[in-house]
Amino acid sequence: MNLWPKRFPLFPETASRLAQDVDQLYFFALLVTAVFSLLIAALIFYFIIRFRRRSEDEVGQPERAGLWLEITWSVIPLVILLFMFGWGSKVFFDIRKPPRGAIEYYVTGKQWMWKFQHPEGPREINELHVPLGQDIKLIMTSEDVIHSFYVPALRAKMDVLPGRYTTFWFNAEKAGAYRLFCAEYCGAEHSYMRGSIIVMEPDDYEEWLATRGQTTAAAKTGADLFSAQTCDTCHRSDSAAQAPILHGLFGKEEQLADGSLVLVDENYLRESILNPAAKVVAGYNALMPTYQGRLSEEDLVGLILYIKSLGGPDSADASASNQATTQASSDREE
Ligand code: CUA
């Protein structure tokens, strides 16, 4: 349901159910604000007339409101505001928490463009083609400064930060092209850092993918990089002596030397590649050299996708002993 009449195009299109949820909340807040503003304004005029000075020497008398009146005008706004808080929290968490099983695309922001990496291999700049009616999760990072990924038609916005991954998700209900903006001032050409999200019928999307020709899946590129950087000399699947085995690792909780647990997610893998000594898994020495400055953001994404392609704790080839410890972590998704 689109609440805003089409004839008054003050609002951007709504392309997802979450966008409609945001609008409903917004219009409710607008309605409450309007009703109370009008009520207060009307009362001011009424009291101006009702309690006007009727003679030259009339002196005002102090008035005290009754207790019931004080309680009423405190409790009613409290209830309305708590209702809006609860509703707002629900919408906020729906927007922030990507559903499990969403298709994952990687986004890299840089001065001044958006780069996209499809799971099937194709890369795009300033345009992202996605299928209609699917949960789409974007895993985003920046090569330089802070950017912000903002799609008005989805009513959602997320900061894109150098040095870590943030997520953004949506499920578009309407095919079409939707504007993408950078919403964080990031330098001279910030206002040109625009793009579009192109939502296509699933068949059209398949066709579009096919026209991109034979592209190498990002995980395959990562696998090549893995050998090229000689990661495989230590991270071998037949020996756990020097470095943790990467098969079945993604999504697992690893114990560190100090006894604390860390969830193996994109941010942990990234940190461990760039700054291996930061969080060393218990039982291993900090032998790994840093790859800071030797890998681009795309390289990192390729390596992470390769490690993900080796399966998580739920996949069949992971050892049975991993299963119990990781059940808890797999129930989380961030
Ligand atoms: Cu990127 Cu503003």
Side-chain angles (χ1 to χ4, degrees):
M1 178 181 49
N2 199 339
L3 290 172
W4 193 259
K6 270 222 162 59
R7 281 167 295 146
F8 307 103
L10 285 177
F11 270 71
E13 276 191 87
T14 47
S16 68
R17 188 186 54 76
L18 278 178
Q20 292 166 20
D21 291 351
V22 172
D23 279 4
Q24 283 165 15
L25 178 63
Y26 177 77
F27 283 119
F28 180 78
L30 198 63
L31 181 76
V32 169
T33 317
V35 164
F36 278 91
S37 301
L38 287 174
L39 178 70
I40 290 166
L43 284 176
I44 288 172
F45 281 107
Y46 172 72
F47 291 146
I48 286 173
I49 294 160
R50 171 86 167 73
F51 299 104
R52 69 185 184 279
R53 192 153 85 158
R54 286 156 207 268
S55 64
E56 275 297 311
D57 51 0
E58 189 173 351
V59 176
Q61 296 297 316
E63 294 264 353
R64 276 196 69 85
L67 183 65
W68 63 271
L69 193 58
E70 297 252 13
I71 291 173
T72 311
W73 75 40
S74 303
V75 169
I76 291 177
L78 179 73
V79 170
I80 295 175
L81 290 175
L82 282 179
F83 175 70
M84 281 158 68
F85 169 74
W87 186 358
S89 307
K90 160 109 182 36
V91 173
F92 175 81
F93 285 115
D94 284 349
I95 289 176
R96 287 299 288 272
K97 195 172 180 298
R100 290 176 64 96
I103 312 173
E104 294 181 347
Y105 294 74
Y106 281 80
V107 180
T108 309
K110 66 172 274 194
Q111 289 167 321
W112 287 275
M113 65 173 79
W114 297 103
K115 297 191 281 187
F116 300 100
Q117 168 75 66
H118 286 247
E120 300 90 348
R123 293 177 179 194
E124 298 186 80
I125 287 178
N126 290 344
E127 268 193 355
L128 175 65
H129 291 75
V130 293
L132 181 77
Q134 297 269 5
D135 293 335
I136 308 284
K137 177 178 172 184
L138 307 181
I139 301 170
M140 313 190 293
T141 190
S142 165
E143 268 183 39
D144 35 47
V145 299
I146 300 175
H147 304 277
S148 179
F149 191 93
Y150 176 40
V151 184
L154 300 171
R155 306 287 192 278
K157 177 156 68 174
M158 187 67 202
D159 276 6
V160 176
L161 308 168
R164 57 174 291 187
Y165 295 108
T166 53
T167 58
F168 181 103
W169 86 274
F170 62 95
N171 186 331
E173 288 187 328
K174 247 192 301 182
Y178 304 104
R179 279 166 175 273
L180 157 70
F181 294 100
C182 177
E184 180 76 47
Y185 181 67
C186 57
E189 287 174 39
H190 155 72
S191 57
Y192 295 109
M193 192 168 163
R194 299 172 299 206
S196 32
I197 308 291
I198 296 155
V199 178
M200 308 174 90
E201 297 287 344
D203 292 347
D204 297 343
Y205 179 69
E206 290 304 321
E207 232 168 78
W208 177 85
L209 273 183
T211 64
R212 304 290 296 198
Q214 277 313 80
T215 42
T216 330
K220 173 72 174 63
T221 321
D224 295 342
L225 197 60
F226 194 75
S227 348
Q229 295 282 348
T230 64
C231 309
D232 50 355
T233 43
C234 294
H235 290 283
R236 288 210 314 263
S237 51
D238 59 344
S239 159
Q242 298 193 67
I245 292 177
L246 302 179
H247 285 84
L249 182 67
F250 192 83
K252 192 178 146 184
E253 273 191 338
E254 284 277 57
Q255 189 162 27
L256 304 181
D258 65 359
S260 63
L261 289 174
V262 63
L263 175 69
V264 180
D265 59 4
E266 286 91 355
N267 278 313
Y268 175 70
L269 291 178
R270 183 200 170 84
E271 181 183 37
S272 297
I273 296 168
L274 297 178
N275 185 11
K279 290 182 185 128
V280 179
V281 175
Y284 293 96
N285 295 318
L287 296 173
M288 184 170 152
T290 171
Y291 285 81
Q292 189 88 50
R294 292 163 65 181
L295 298 168
S296 70
E297 289 299 334
E298 277 92 349
D299 291 344
L300 282 167
V301 165
L303 284 173
I304 289 170
L305 279 168
Y306 169 64
I307 294 168
K308 282 170 120 172
S309 75
L310 299 176
D314 299 332
S315 59
D317 59 344
S319 68
S321 62
N322 289 340
Q323 301 286 357
T325 51
T326 51
Q327 202 52 51
S329 65
S330 65
D331 291 334
R332 274 201 308 271
E333 169 86 352
E334 172 48 59

